[in-house]
Amino acid sequence: MIAAEELARNTPHCFDIVTCMEMLEHVPDPAATVKACAELVKPGGHLFFSTLNRNPKSYLFAIIGAEYLLNLLPRGTHDYAKFIKPSELAAMCRTRH
């Protein structure tokens, strides 16, 4: 396994499509991961993100439902404070480094 940041350093602008699904809420620096994903995609390519929104519905379904009621995930898999609002993800995508 290789971190997105390291892959971006080694192979920038190599992919037509980059997806980052249900990962940002688990990394220490989501903005750095977003930046790395942007560096991986070729100019004119496509970049897709999916992450848990920091709202009551996501807390209910991801933590209470999936972790505690249904036992689909180990307890503690998610930290509500690390969930990312769409506005925060959009700001990360707009940031130029």
Side-chain angles (χ1 to χ4, degrees), residues 25-77:
E25 68 272 15
H26 300 285
V27 298
D29 187 356
T33 302
V34 168
K35 180 180 181 276
C37 290
E39 291 170 356
L40 285 167
V41 73
K42 290 178 182 177
H46 299 282
L47 182 54
F48 298 94
F49 293 102
S50 174
T51 190
L52 289 169
N53 188 0
R54 193 172 59 248
N55 65 18
K57 183 178 178 180
S58 292
Y59 179 83
L60 177 67
F61 285 110
I63 296 176
I64 302 300
E67 292 183 22
Y68 286 86
L69 296 177
L70 300 175
N71 294 311
L72 295 172
L73 299 168
R75 290 180 181 187
T77 296

